[in-house]
Amino acid sequence: MALKKIDIRDLKVGMYVAELDRPWIDSPFLFQGFRIE
């Protein structure tokens, strides 16, 4: 599956976030990647 860069406003339930626009260590997320619920 190819990665696609999208705007945060286009996120939908069921999508998987694989990368951020900043290092994961600088984010509040515990894991590197998550599914939108």
Side-chain angles (χ1 to χ4, degrees), residues 2-25:
L3 296 180
K4 194 168 28 170
K5 191 173 193 175
I6 64 168
D7 192 273
I8 192 169
R9 294 173 291 206
D10 296 327
L11 288 174
K12 294 183 176 33
V13 173
M15 289 182 166
Y16 186 83
V17 176
E19 293 181 11
L20 299 176
D21 62 349
R22 67 196 75 227
W24 283 101
I25 197 79

Side-chain angles (χ1 to χ4, degrees), residues 23-36:
W24 283 101
I25 197 79
D26 294 340
S27 77
F29 303 108
L30 298 175
F31 303 103
Q32 292 185 6
F34 54 91
R35 186 167 309 281
I36 303 294

